[in-house]
PDB file of all heavy atoms in Angstrom:
ATOM      1  N   ASN A   1       6.303 -47.098 -23.043  1.00 90.00           N
ATOM      2  CA  ASN A   1       6.382 -47.535 -21.643  1.00 90.00           C
ATOM      3  C   ASN A   1       7.717 -48.208 -21.350  1.00 90.00           C
ATOM      4  O   ASN A   1       8.305 -48.002 -20.288  1.00 90.00           O
ATOM      5  CB  ASN A   1       5.232 -48.466 -21.296  1.00 90.00           C
ATOM      6  CG  ASN A   1       3.907 -47.743 -21.217  1.00 90.00           C
ATOM      7  OD1 ASN A   1       3.851 -46.529 -21.059  1.00 90.00           O
ATOM      8  ND2 ASN A   1       2.823 -48.493 -21.350  1.00 90.00           N
ATOM      9  N   LYS A   2       8.193 -49.016 -22.288  1.00 92.00           N
ATOM     10  CA  LYS A   2       9.488 -49.688 -22.107  1.00 92.00           C
ATOM     11  C   LYS A   2      10.621 -48.672 -22.072  1.00 92.00           C
ATOM     12  O   LYS A   2      11.555 -48.802 -21.278  1.00 92.00           O
ATOM     13  CB  LYS A   2       9.738 -50.712 -23.230  1.00 92.00           C
ATOM     14  CG  LYS A   2       8.825 -51.898 -23.177  1.00 92.00           C
ATOM     15  CD  LYS A   2       9.084 -52.719 -21.936  1.00 92.00           C
ATOM     16  CE  LYS A   2       8.201 -53.938 -21.920  1.00 92.00           C
ATOM     17  NZ  LYS A   2       8.284 -54.669 -20.673  1.00 92.00           N
ATOM     18  N   VAL A   3      10.545 -47.646 -22.908  1.00 92.00           N
ATOM     19  CA  VAL A   3      11.576 -46.612 -22.920  1.00 92.00           C
ATOM     20  C   VAL A   3      11.577 -45.857 -21.590  1.00 92.00           C
ATOM     21  O   VAL A   3      12.639 -45.571 -21.029  1.00 92.00           O
ATOM     22  CB  VAL A   3      11.380 -45.646 -24.110  1.00 92.00           C
ATOM     23  CG1 VAL A   3      12.280 -44.428 -23.995  1.00 92.00           C
ATOM     24  CG2 VAL A   3      11.618 -46.369 -25.425  1.00 92.00           C
ATOM     25  N   VAL A   4      10.401 -45.548 -21.069  1.00 87.00           N
ATOM     26  CA  VAL A   4      10.297 -44.867 -19.779  1.00 87.00           C
ATOM     27  C   VAL A   4      10.881 -45.743 -18.672  1.00 87.00           C
ATOM     28  O   VAL A   4      11.627 -45.269 -17.808  1.00 87.00           O
ATOM     29  CB  VAL A   4       8.827 -44.484 -19.480  1.00 87.00           C
ATOM     30  CG1 VAL A   4       8.653 -44.045 -18.043  1.00 87.00           C
ATOM     31  CG2 VAL A   4       8.365 -43.399 -20.435  1.00 87.00           C
ATOM     32  N   GLN A   5      10.578 -47.040 -18.695  1.00 89.00           N
ATOM     33  CA  GLN A   5      11.114 -47.963 -17.693  1.00 89.00           C
ATOM     34  C   GLN A   5      12.638 -48.068 -17.801  1.00 89.00           C
ATOM     35  O   GLN A   5      13.342 -48.093 -16.780  1.00 89.00           O
ATOM     36  CB  GLN A   5      10.494 -49.346 -17.856  1.00 89.00           C
ATOM     37  CG  GLN A   5       9.041 -49.417 -17.462  1.00 89.00           C
ATOM     38  CD  GLN A   5       8.420 -50.771 -17.793  1.00 89.00           C
ATOM     39  OE1 GLN A   5       9.069 -51.643 -18.359  1.00 89.00           O
ATOM     40  NE2 GLN A   5       7.156 -50.937 -17.454  1.00 89.00           N
ATOM     41  N   LEU A   6      13.142 -48.131 -19.026  1.00 91.00           N
ATOM     42  CA  LEU A   6      14.587 -48.216 -19.239  1.00 91.00           C
ATOM     43  C   LEU A   6      15.278 -46.954 -18.742  1.00 91.00           C
ATOM     44  O   LEU A   6      16.308 -47.025 -18.067  1.00 91.00           O
ATOM     45  CB  LEU A   6      14.892 -48.428 -20.725  1.00 91.00           C
ATOM     46  CG  LEU A   6      16.364 -48.469 -21.105  1.00 91.00           C
ATOM     47  CD1 LEU A   6      17.056 -49.648 -20.432  1.00 91.00           C
ATOM     48  CD2 LEU A   6      16.516 -48.550 -22.615  1.00 91.00           C
ATOM     49  N   ARG A   7      14.691 -45.817 -19.021  1.00 86.00           N
ATOM     50  CA  ARG A   7      15.256 -44.540 -18.559  1.00 86.00           C
ATOM     51  C   ARG A   7      15.291 -44.501 -17.029  1.00 86.00           C
ATOM     52  O   ARG A   7      16.291 -44.104 -16.433  1.00 86.00           O
ATOM     53  CB  ARG A   7      14.425 -43.393 -19.099  1.00 86.00           C
ATOM     54  CG  ARG A   7      14.943 -42.036 -18.722  1.00 86.00           C
ATOM     55  CD  ARG A   7      14.150 -40.954 -19.457  1.00 86.00           C
ATOM     56  NE  ARG A   7      14.662 -39.657 -19.114  1.00 86.00           N
ATOM     57  CZ  ARG A   7      14.054 -38.806 -18.305  1.00 86.00           C
ATOM     58  NH1 ARG A   7      12.893 -39.117 -17.760  1.00 86.00           N
ATOM     59  NH2 ARG A   7      14.584 -37.640 -18.040  1.00 86.00           N
ATOM     60  N   ARG A   8      14.213 -44.923 -16.398  1.00 83.00           N
ATOM     61  CA  ARG A   8      14.160 -44.936 -14.931  1.00 83.00           C
ATOM     62  C   ARG A   8      15.218 -45.891 -14.360  1.00 83.00           C
ATOM     63  O   ARG A   8      15.888 -45.575 -13.384  1.00 83.00           O
ATOM     64  CB  ARG A   8      12.763 -45.335 -14.464  1.00 83.00           C
ATOM     65  CG  ARG A   8      12.603 -45.272 -12.957  1.00 83.00           C
ATOM     66  CD  ARG A   8      11.185 -45.495 -12.522  1.00 83.00           C
ATOM     67  NE  ARG A   8      10.378 -44.353 -12.921  1.00 83.00           N
ATOM     68  CZ  ARG A   8       9.131 -44.421 -13.358  1.00 83.00           C
ATOM     69  NH1 ARG A   8       8.531 -45.586 -13.441  1.00 83.00           N
ATOM     70  NH2 ARG A   8       8.473 -43.337 -13.698  1.00 83.00           N
ATOM     71  N   ALA A   9      15.378 -47.060 -14.980  1.00 87.00           N
ATOM     72  CA  ALA A   9      16.366 -48.033 -14.505  1.00 87.00           C
ATOM     73  C   ALA A   9      17.785 -47.485 -14.658  1.00 87.00           C
ATOM     74  O   ALA A   9      18.614 -47.636 -13.743  1.00 87.00           O
ATOM     75  CB  ALA A   9      16.220 -49.347 -15.269  1.00 87.00           C
ATOM     76  N   LEU A  10      18.076 -46.856 -15.780  1.00 86.00           N
ATOM     77  CA  LEU A  10      19.407 -46.289 -15.986  1.00 86.00           C
ATOM     78  C   LEU A  10      19.696 -45.176 -14.982  1.00 86.00           C
ATOM     79  O   LEU A  10      20.811 -45.068 -14.473  1.00 86.00           O
ATOM     80  CB  LEU A  10      19.546 -45.753 -17.417  1.00 86.00           C
ATOM     81  CG  LEU A  10      19.666 -46.807 -18.503  1.00 86.00           C
ATOM     82  CD1 LEU A  10      19.644 -46.165 -19.887  1.00 86.00           C
ATOM     83  CD2 LEU A  10      20.931 -47.626 -18.322  1.00 86.00           C
ATOM     84  N   LYS A  11      18.694 -44.369 -14.681  1.00 81.00           N
ATOM     85  CA  LYS A  11      18.875 -43.311 -13.690  1.00 81.00           C
ATOM     86  C   LYS A  11      19.169 -43.913 -12.317  1.00 81.00           C
ATOM     87  O   LYS A  11      19.992 -43.381 -11.563  1.00 81.00           O
ATOM     88  CB  LYS A  11      17.634 -42.422 -13.632  1.00 81.00           C
ATOM     89  CG  LYS A  11      17.521 -41.494 -14.832  1.00 81.00           C
ATOM     90  CD  LYS A  11      16.207 -40.772 -14.880  1.00 81.00           C
ATOM     91  CE  LYS A  11      16.104 -39.704 -13.831  1.00 81.00           C
ATOM     92  NZ  LYS A  11      14.883 -38.901 -13.948  1.00 81.00           N
ATOM     93  N   GLN A  12      18.539 -45.031 -11.981  1.00 79.00           N
ATOM     94  CA  GLN A  12      18.793 -45.678 -10.700  1.00 79.00           C
ATOM     95  C   GLN A  12      20.204 -46.255 -10.656  1.00 79.00           C
ATOM     96  O   GLN A  12      20.877 -46.187  -9.630  1.00 79.00           O
ATOM     97  CB  GLN A  12      17.775 -46.778 -10.434  1.00 79.00           C
ATOM     98  CG  GLN A  12      16.412 -46.249 -10.075  1.00 79.00           C
ATOM     99  CD  GLN A  12      15.407 -47.383  -9.852  1.00 79.00           C
ATOM    100  OE1 GLN A  12      15.640 -48.527 -10.220  1.00 79.00           O
ATOM    101  NE2 GLN A  12      14.279 -47.040  -9.255  1.00 79.00           N
ATOM    102  N   VAL A  13      20.647 -46.821 -11.773  1.00 82.00           N
ATOM    103  CA  VAL A  13      21.977 -47.425 -11.825  1.00 82.00           C
ATOM    104  C   VAL A  13      23.062 -46.375 -11.602  1.00 82.00           C
ATOM    105  O   VAL A  13      24.022 -46.611 -10.866  1.00 82.00           O
ATOM    106  CB  VAL A  13      22.199 -48.151 -13.173  1.00 82.00           C
ATOM    107  CG1 VAL A  13      23.651 -48.506 -13.387  1.00 82.00           C
ATOM    108  CG2 VAL A  13      21.336 -49.403 -13.244  1.00 82.00           C
ATOM    109  N   ILE A  14      22.907 -45.204 -12.209  1.00 78.00           N
ATOM    110  CA  ILE A  14      23.941 -44.182 -12.065  1.00 78.00           C
ATOM    111  C   ILE A  14      23.709 -43.279 -10.858  1.00 78.00           C
ATOM    112  O   ILE A  14      24.503 -42.400 -10.569  1.00 78.00           O
ATOM    113  CB  ILE A  14      24.093 -43.334 -13.341  1.00 78.00           C
ATOM    114  CG1 ILE A  14      22.807 -42.585 -13.674  1.00 78.00           C
ATOM    115  CG2 ILE A  14      24.547 -44.189 -14.488  1.00 78.00           C
ATOM    116  CD1 ILE A  14      22.950 -41.615 -14.831  1.00 78.00           C
ATOM    117  N   GLY A  15      22.606 -43.483 -10.139  1.00 72.00           N
ATOM    118  CA  GLY A  15      22.381 -42.769  -8.893  1.00 72.00           C
ATOM    119  C   GLY A  15      21.666 -41.443  -9.004  1.00 72.00           C
ATOM    120  O   GLY A  15      21.775 -40.612  -8.120  1.00 72.00           O
ATOM    121  N   VAL A  16      20.935 -41.216 -10.085  1.00 76.00           N
ATOM    122  CA  VAL A  16      20.180 -39.978 -10.238  1.00 76.00           C
ATOM    123  C   VAL A  16      18.871 -40.123  -9.466  1.00 76.00           C
ATOM    124  O   VAL A  16      18.142 -41.090  -9.651  1.00 76.00           O
ATOM    125  CB  VAL A  16      19.886 -39.689 -11.731  1.00 76.00           C
ATOM    126  CG1 VAL A  16      19.008 -38.470 -11.886  1.00 76.00           C
ATOM    127  CG2 VAL A  16      21.174 -39.526 -12.501  1.00 76.00           C
ATOM    128  N   PRO A  17      18.566 -39.174  -8.579  1.00 79.00           N
ATOM    129  CA  PRO A  17      17.327 -39.271  -7.799  1.00 79.00           C
ATOM    130  C   PRO A  17      16.097 -39.080  -8.690  1.00 79.00           C
ATOM    131  O   PRO A  17      16.153 -38.380  -9.699  1.00 79.00           O
ATOM    132  CB  PRO A  17      17.455 -38.141  -6.782  1.00 79.00           C
ATOM    133  CG  PRO A  17      18.431 -37.191  -7.367  1.00 79.00           C
ATOM    134  CD  PRO A  17      19.345 -37.997  -8.237  1.00 79.00           C
ATOM    135  N   ASP A  18      15.004 -39.721  -8.331  1.00 82.00           N
ATOM    136  CA  ASP A  18      13.769 -39.680  -9.112  1.00 82.00           C
ATOM    137  C   ASP A  18      12.778 -38.714  -8.470  1.00 82.00           C
ATOM    138  O   ASP A  18      12.238 -38.988  -7.402  1.00 82.00           O
ATOM    139  CB  ASP A  18      13.175 -41.089  -9.200  1.00 82.00           C
ATOM    140  CG  ASP A  18      12.108 -41.206 -10.264  1.00 82.00           C
ATOM    141  OD1 ASP A  18      11.582 -40.163 -10.710  1.00 82.00           O
ATOM    142  OD2 ASP A  18      11.799 -42.337 -10.647  1.00 82.00           O
ATOM    143  N   TYR A  19      12.547 -37.587  -9.119  1.00 87.00           N
ATOM    144  CA  TYR A  19      11.685 -36.544  -8.570  1.00 87.00           C
ATOM    145  C   TYR A  19      10.238 -37.009  -8.459  1.00 87.00           C
ATOM    146  O   TYR A  19       9.548 -36.683  -7.494  1.00 87.00           O
ATOM    147  CB  TYR A  19      11.785 -35.288  -9.432  1.00 87.00           C
ATOM    148  CG  TYR A  19      11.011 -34.115  -8.893  1.00 87.00           C
ATOM    149  CD1 TYR A  19      11.381 -33.504  -7.695  1.00 87.00           C
ATOM    150  CD2 TYR A  19       9.918 -33.605  -9.570  1.00 87.00           C
ATOM    151  CE1 TYR A  19      10.683 -32.426  -7.189  1.00 87.00           C
ATOM    152  CE2 TYR A  19       9.206 -32.527  -9.070  1.00 87.00           C
ATOM    153  CZ  TYR A  19       9.595 -31.940  -7.885  1.00 87.00           C
ATOM    154  OH  TYR A  19       8.888 -30.871  -7.388  1.00 87.00           O
ATOM    155  N   GLU A  20       9.755 -37.791  -9.426  1.00 85.00           N
ATOM    156  CA  GLU A  20       8.374 -38.268  -9.384  1.00 85.00           C
ATOM    157  C   GLU A  20       8.139 -39.185  -8.188  1.00 85.00           C
ATOM    158  O   GLU A  20       7.094 -39.128  -7.547  1.00 85.00           O
ATOM    159  CB  GLU A  20       7.997 -38.982 -10.690  1.00 85.00           C
ATOM    160  CG  GLU A  20       7.878 -38.066 -11.887  1.00 85.00           C
ATOM    161  CD  GLU A  20       9.216 -37.684 -12.482  1.00 85.00           C
ATOM    162  OE1 GLU A  20      10.207 -38.429 -12.280  1.00 85.00           O
ATOM    163  OE2 GLU A  20       9.283 -36.631 -13.126  1.00 85.00           O
ATOM    164  N   VAL A  21       9.117 -40.024  -7.881  1.00 86.00           N
ATOM    165  CA  VAL A  21       9.015 -40.904  -6.707  1.00 86.00           C
ATOM    166  C   VAL A  21       8.992 -40.058  -5.437  1.00 86.00           C
ATOM    167  O   VAL A  21       8.216 -40.312  -4.516  1.00 86.00           O
ATOM    168  CB  VAL A  21      10.166 -41.926  -6.678  1.00 86.00           C
ATOM    169  CG1 VAL A  21      10.203 -42.682  -5.363  1.00 86.00           C
ATOM    170  CG2 VAL A  21      10.050 -42.890  -7.840  1.00 86.00           C
ATOM    171  N   TYR A  22       9.843 -39.032  -5.402  1.00 90.00           N
ATOM    172  CA  TYR A  22       9.849 -38.126  -4.250  1.00 90.00           C
ATOM    173  C   TYR A  22       8.485 -37.481  -4.059  1.00 90.00           C
ATOM    174  O   TYR A  22       7.966 -37.410  -2.940  1.00 90.00           O
ATOM    175  CB  TYR A  22      10.930 -37.051  -4.431  1.00 90.00           C
ATOM    176  CG  TYR A  22      10.695 -35.828  -3.581  1.00 90.00           C
ATOM    177  CD1 TYR A  22      10.914 -35.847  -2.210  1.00 90.00           C
ATOM    178  CD2 TYR A  22      10.229 -34.638  -4.150  1.00 90.00           C
ATOM    179  CE1 TYR A  22      10.680 -34.731  -1.427  1.00 90.00           C
ATOM    180  CE2 TYR A  22       9.995 -33.517  -3.375  1.00 90.00           C
ATOM    181  CZ  TYR A  22      10.223 -33.571  -2.015  1.00 90.00           C
ATOM    182  OH  TYR A  22       9.975 -32.464  -1.245  1.00 90.00           O
ATOM    183  N   LEU A  23       7.885 -36.981  -5.141  1.00 92.00           N
ATOM    184  CA  LEU A  23       6.582 -36.319  -5.033  1.00 92.00           C
ATOM    185  C   LEU A  23       5.514 -37.266  -4.496  1.00 92.00           C
ATOM    186  O   LEU A  23       4.723 -36.895  -3.630  1.00 92.00           O
ATOM    187  CB  LEU A  23       6.156 -35.755  -6.387  1.00 92.00           C
ATOM    188  CG  LEU A  23       6.904 -34.527  -6.870  1.00 92.00           C
ATOM    189  CD1 LEU A  23       6.418 -34.140  -8.267  1.00 92.00           C
ATOM    190  CD2 LEU A  23       6.763 -33.377  -5.902  1.00 92.00           C
ATOM    191  N   ALA A  24       5.488 -38.496  -5.022  1.00 92.00           N
ATOM    192  CA  ALA A  24       4.489 -39.465  -4.571  1.00 92.00           C
ATOM    193  C   ALA A  24       4.690 -39.800  -3.089  1.00 92.00           C
ATOM    194  O   ALA A  24       3.723 -39.848  -2.320  1.00 92.00           O
ATOM    195  CB  ALA A  24       4.568 -40.726  -5.424  1.00 92.00           C
ATOM    196  N   ARG A  25       5.921 -40.014  -2.698  1.00 93.00           N
ATOM    197  CA  ARG A  25       6.204 -40.355  -1.305  1.00 93.00           C
ATOM    198  C   ARG A  25       5.917 -39.174  -0.379  1.00 93.00           C
ATOM    199  O   ARG A  25       5.361 -39.341   0.703  1.00 93.00           O
ATOM    200  CB  ARG A  25       7.665 -40.793  -1.185  1.00 93.00           C
ATOM    201  CG  ARG A  25       8.058 -41.255   0.167  1.00 93.00           C
ATOM    202  CD  ARG A  25       9.496 -41.746   0.134  1.00 93.00           C
ATOM    203  NE  ARG A  25      10.032 -41.845   1.467  1.00 93.00           N
ATOM    204  CZ  ARG A  25      10.096 -42.974   2.168  1.00 93.00           C
ATOM    205  NH1 ARG A  25       9.660 -44.087   1.636  1.00 93.00           N
ATOM    206  NH2 ARG A  25      10.599 -42.979   3.365  1.00 93.00           N
ATOM    207  N   HIS A  26       6.279 -37.983  -0.814  1.00 94.00           N
ATOM    208  CA  HIS A  26       6.053 -36.781  -0.012  1.00 94.00           C
ATOM    209  C   HIS A  26       4.559 -36.546   0.207  1.00 94.00           C
ATOM    210  O   HIS A  26       4.132 -36.158   1.297  1.00 94.00           O
ATOM    211  CB  HIS A  26       6.686 -35.567  -0.696  1.00 94.00           C
ATOM    212  CG  HIS A  26       6.655 -34.340   0.134  1.00 94.00           C
ATOM    213  ND1 HIS A  26       5.576 -33.495   0.169  1.00 94.00           N
ATOM    214  CD2 HIS A  26       7.568 -33.810   0.983  1.00 94.00           C
ATOM    215  CE1 HIS A  26       5.828 -32.502   0.996  1.00 94.00           C
ATOM    216  NE2 HIS A  26       7.034 -32.668   1.503  1.00 94.00           N
ATOM    217  N   LYS A  27       3.772 -36.800  -0.816  1.00 94.00           N
ATOM    218  CA  LYS A  27       2.317 -36.624  -0.718  1.00 94.00           C
ATOM    219  C   LYS A  27       1.715 -37.547   0.340  1.00 94.00           C
ATOM    220  O   LYS A  27       0.791 -37.174   1.055  1.00 94.00           O
ATOM    221  CB  LYS A  27       1.674 -36.880  -2.078  1.00 94.00           C
ATOM    222  CG  LYS A  27       0.217 -36.585  -2.133  1.00 94.00           C
ATOM    223  CD  LYS A  27      -0.315 -36.783  -3.543  1.00 94.00           C
ATOM    224  CE  LYS A  27      -1.784 -36.456  -3.618  1.00 94.00           C
ATOM    225  NZ  LYS A  27      -2.308 -36.612  -4.971  1.00 94.00           N
ATOM    226  N   VAL A  28       2.253 -38.758   0.452  1.00 95.00           N
ATOM    227  CA  VAL A  28       1.750 -39.725   1.424  1.00 95.00           C
ATOM    228  C   VAL A  28       2.234 -39.391   2.844  1.00 95.00           C
ATOM    229  O   VAL A  28       1.450 -39.412   3.790  1.00 95.00           O
ATOM    230  CB  VAL A  28       2.195 -41.155   1.043  1.00 95.00           C
ATOM    231  CG1 VAL A  28       1.894 -42.146   2.145  1.00 95.00           C
ATOM    232  CG2 VAL A  28       1.532 -41.580  -0.258  1.00 95.00           C
ATOM    233  N   ILE A  29       3.514 -39.061   2.972  1.00 94.00           N
ATOM    234  CA  ILE A  29       4.105 -38.859   4.293  1.00 94.00           C
ATOM    235  C   ILE A  29       3.807 -37.474   4.865  1.00 94.00           C
ATOM    236  O   ILE A  29       3.527 -37.337   6.049  1.00 94.00           O
ATOM    237  CB  ILE A  29       5.624 -39.103   4.230  1.00 94.00           C
ATOM    238  CG1 ILE A  29       5.888 -40.562   3.873  1.00 94.00           C
ATOM    239  CG2 ILE A  29       6.290 -38.765   5.563  1.00 94.00           C
ATOM    240  CD1 ILE A  29       7.332 -40.886   3.610  1.00 94.00           C
ATOM    241  N   HIS A  30       3.880 -36.451   4.020  1.00 93.00           N
ATOM    242  CA  HIS A  30       3.701 -35.064   4.472  1.00 93.00           C
ATOM    243  C   HIS A  30       2.656 -34.350   3.613  1.00 93.00           C
ATOM    244  O   HIS A  30       2.989 -33.432   2.864  1.00 93.00           O
ATOM    245  CB  HIS A  30       5.022 -34.291   4.382  1.00 93.00           C
ATOM    246  CG  HIS A  30       6.168 -34.931   5.086  1.00 93.00           C
ATOM    247  ND1 HIS A  30       6.255 -34.969   6.459  1.00 93.00           N
ATOM    248  CD2 HIS A  30       7.273 -35.556   4.624  1.00 93.00           C
ATOM    249  CE1 HIS A  30       7.374 -35.591   6.803  1.00 93.00           C
ATOM    250  NE2 HIS A  30       8.003 -35.964   5.705  1.00 93.00           N
ATOM    251  N   PRO A  31       1.394 -34.735   3.696  1.00 92.00           N
ATOM    252  CA  PRO A  31       0.390 -34.138   2.809  1.00 92.00           C
ATOM    253  C   PRO A  31       0.144 -32.651   3.056  1.00 92.00           C
ATOM    254  O   PRO A  31      -0.294 -31.942   2.155  1.00 92.00           O
ATOM    255  CB  PRO A  31      -0.872 -34.947   3.091  1.00 92.00           C
ATOM    256  CG  PRO A  31      -0.666 -35.529   4.442  1.00 92.00           C
ATOM    257  CD  PRO A  31       0.805 -35.717   4.598  1.00 92.00           C
ATOM    258  N   ASP A  32       0.460 -32.165   4.246  1.00 95.00           N
ATOM    259  CA  ASP A  32       0.187 -30.763   4.575  1.00 95.00           C
ATOM    260  C   ASP A  32       1.373 -29.833   4.292  1.00 95.00           C
ATOM    261  O   ASP A  32       1.240 -28.622   4.402  1.00 95.00           O
ATOM    262  CB  ASP A  32      -0.217 -30.636   6.043  1.00 95.00           C
ATOM    263  CG  ASP A  32       0.805 -31.246   6.980  1.00 95.00           C
ATOM    264  OD1 ASP A  32       1.545 -32.146   6.549  1.00 95.00           O
ATOM    265  OD2 ASP A  32       0.859 -30.835   8.156  1.00 95.00           O
ATOM    266  N   VAL A  33       2.520 -30.374   3.900  1.00 94.00           N
ATOM    267  CA  VAL A  33       3.715 -29.582   3.633  1.00 94.00           C
ATOM    268  C   VAL A  33       3.952 -29.538   2.123  1.00 94.00           C
ATOM    269  O   VAL A  33       3.942 -30.582   1.468  1.00 94.00           O
ATOM    270  CB  VAL A  33       4.951 -30.211   4.335  1.00 94.00           C
ATOM    271  CG1 VAL A  33       6.203 -29.428   4.033  1.00 94.00           C
ATOM    272  CG2 VAL A  33       4.709 -30.336   5.824  1.00 94.00           C
ATOM    273  N   PRO A  34       4.168 -28.336   1.550  1.00 95.00           N
ATOM    274  CA  PRO A  34       4.428 -28.278   0.107  1.00 95.00           C
ATOM    275  C   PRO A  34       5.771 -28.927  -0.232  1.00 95.00           C
ATOM    276  O   PRO A  34       6.748 -28.756   0.511  1.00 95.00           O
ATOM    277  CB  PRO A  34       4.449 -26.783  -0.208  1.00 95.00           C
ATOM    278  CG  PRO A  34       4.620 -26.093   1.081  1.00 95.00           C
ATOM    279  CD  PRO A  34       4.132 -27.016   2.164  1.00 95.00           C
ATOM    280  N   PRO A  35       5.849 -29.679  -1.322  1.00 95.00           N
ATOM    281  CA  PRO A  35       7.101 -30.349  -1.688  1.00 95.00           C
ATOM    282  C   PRO A  35       8.122 -29.359  -2.246  1.00 95.00           C
ATOM    283  O   PRO A  35       7.783 -28.249  -2.650  1.00 95.00           O
ATOM    284  CB  PRO A  35       6.673 -31.352  -2.764  1.00 95.00           C
ATOM    285  CG  PRO A  35       5.465 -30.746  -3.364  1.00 95.00           C
ATOM    286  CD  PRO A  35       4.771 -30.007  -2.253  1.00 95.00           C
ATOM    287  N   MET A  36       9.369 -29.781  -2.282  1.00 94.00           N
ATOM    288  CA  MET A  36      10.430 -28.978  -2.886  1.00 94.00           C
ATOM    289  C   MET A  36      10.192 -28.896  -4.383  1.00 94.00           C
ATOM    290  O   MET A  36       9.620 -29.821  -4.980  1.00 94.00           O
ATOM    291  CB  MET A  36      11.794 -29.640  -2.668  1.00 94.00           C
ATOM    292  CG  MET A  36      12.300 -29.624  -1.265  1.00 94.00           C
ATOM    293  SD  MET A  36      13.969 -30.311  -1.155  1.00 94.00           S
ATOM    294  CE  MET A  36      13.590 -32.021  -0.790  1.00 94.00           C
ATOM    295  N   GLY A  37      10.675 -27.844  -4.975  1.00 93.00           N
ATOM    296  CA  GLY A  37      10.662 -27.747  -6.427  1.00 93.00           C
ATOM    297  C   GLY A  37      11.681 -28.718  -7.002  1.00 93.00           C
ATOM    298  O   GLY A  37      12.546 -29.240  -6.280  1.00 93.00           O
ATOM    299  N   GLU A  38      11.613 -28.958  -8.298  1.00 90.00           N
ATOM    300  CA  GLU A  38      12.505 -29.943  -8.909  1.00 90.00           C
ATOM    301  C   GLU A  38      13.975 -29.545  -8.767  1.00 90.00           C
ATOM    302  O   GLU A  38      14.819 -30.373  -8.406  1.00 90.00           O
ATOM    303  CB  GLU A  38      12.141 -30.133 -10.381  1.00 90.00           C
ATOM    304  CG  GLU A  38      12.807 -31.320 -11.010  1.00 90.00           C
ATOM    305  CD  GLU A  38      12.228 -31.673 -12.360  1.00 90.00           C
ATOM    306  OE1 GLU A  38      11.320 -30.985 -12.850  1.00 90.00           O
ATOM    307  OE2 GLU A  38      12.701 -32.667 -12.940  1.00 90.00           O
ATOM    308  N   ALA A  39      14.298 -28.278  -9.026  1.00 92.00           N
ATOM    309  CA  ALA A  39      15.691 -27.828  -8.909  1.00 92.00           C
ATOM    310  C   ALA A  39      16.169 -27.932  -7.462  1.00 92.00           C
ATOM    311  O   ALA A  39      17.295 -28.381  -7.197  1.00 92.00           O
ATOM    312  CB  ALA A  39      15.825 -26.400  -9.424  1.00 92.00           C
ATOM    313  N   GLU A  40      15.326 -27.540  -6.529  1.00 94.00           N
ATOM    314  CA  GLU A  40      15.680 -27.618  -5.112  1.00 94.00           C
ATOM    315  C   GLU A  40      15.884 -29.071  -4.675  1.00 94.00           C
ATOM    316  O   GLU A  40      16.810 -29.389  -3.918  1.00 94.00           O
ATOM    317  CB  GLU A  40      14.573 -26.967  -4.280  1.00 94.00           C
ATOM    318  CG  GLU A  40      14.865 -26.902  -2.809  1.00 94.00           C
ATOM    319  CD  GLU A  40      13.713 -26.293  -2.020  1.00 94.00           C
ATOM    320  OE1 GLU A  40      12.645 -25.998  -2.598  1.00 94.00           O
ATOM    321  OE2 GLU A  40      13.891 -26.129  -0.802  1.00 94.00           O
ATOM    322  N   PHE A  41      15.037 -29.974  -5.189  1.00 91.00           N
ATOM    323  CA  PHE A  41      15.160 -31.399  -4.869  1.00 91.00           C
ATOM    324  C   PHE A  41      16.491 -31.960  -5.349  1.00 91.00           C
ATOM    325  O   PHE A  41      17.188 -32.663  -4.606  1.00 91.00           O
ATOM    326  CB  PHE A  41      14.008 -32.184  -5.495  1.00 91.00           C
ATOM    327  CG  PHE A  41      14.196 -33.668  -5.460  1.00 91.00           C
ATOM    328  CD1 PHE A  41      14.034 -34.376  -4.281  1.00 91.00           C
ATOM    329  CD2 PHE A  41      14.546 -34.364  -6.601  1.00 91.00           C
ATOM    330  CE1 PHE A  41      14.215 -35.756  -4.238  1.00 91.00           C
ATOM    331  CE2 PHE A  41      14.721 -35.737  -6.570  1.00 91.00           C
ATOM    332  CZ  PHE A  41      14.557 -36.425  -5.387  1.00 91.00           C
ATOM    333  N   PHE A  42      16.884 -31.644  -6.589  1.00 88.00           N
ATOM    334  CA  PHE A  42      18.140 -32.179  -7.113  1.00 88.00           C
ATOM    335  C   PHE A  42      19.337 -31.590  -6.373  1.00 88.00           C
ATOM    336  O   PHE A  42      20.312 -32.288  -6.101  1.00 88.00           O
ATOM    337  CB  PHE A  42      18.246 -31.955  -8.619  1.00 88.00           C
ATOM    338  CG  PHE A  42      17.432 -32.942  -9.400  1.00 88.00           C
ATOM    339  CD1 PHE A  42      16.290 -32.551 -10.066  1.00 88.00           C
ATOM    340  CD2 PHE A  42      17.778 -34.278  -9.442  1.00 88.00           C
ATOM    341  CE1 PHE A  42      15.520 -33.454 -10.764  1.00 88.00           C
ATOM    342  CE2 PHE A  42      17.009 -35.204 -10.133  1.00 88.00           C
ATOM    343  CZ  PHE A  42      15.883 -34.797 -10.803  1.00 88.00           C
TER     344      PHE A  42
END
């Protein structure tokens, strides 16, 4: 869990977008629209 948290923090520091966060947010905001694929999101 600590390694996962560290990886997420490092990605935020260098500005890499988080696909899992996008999916969770997209599900709440646009439940009827299919989300982008991972490659399309990046």
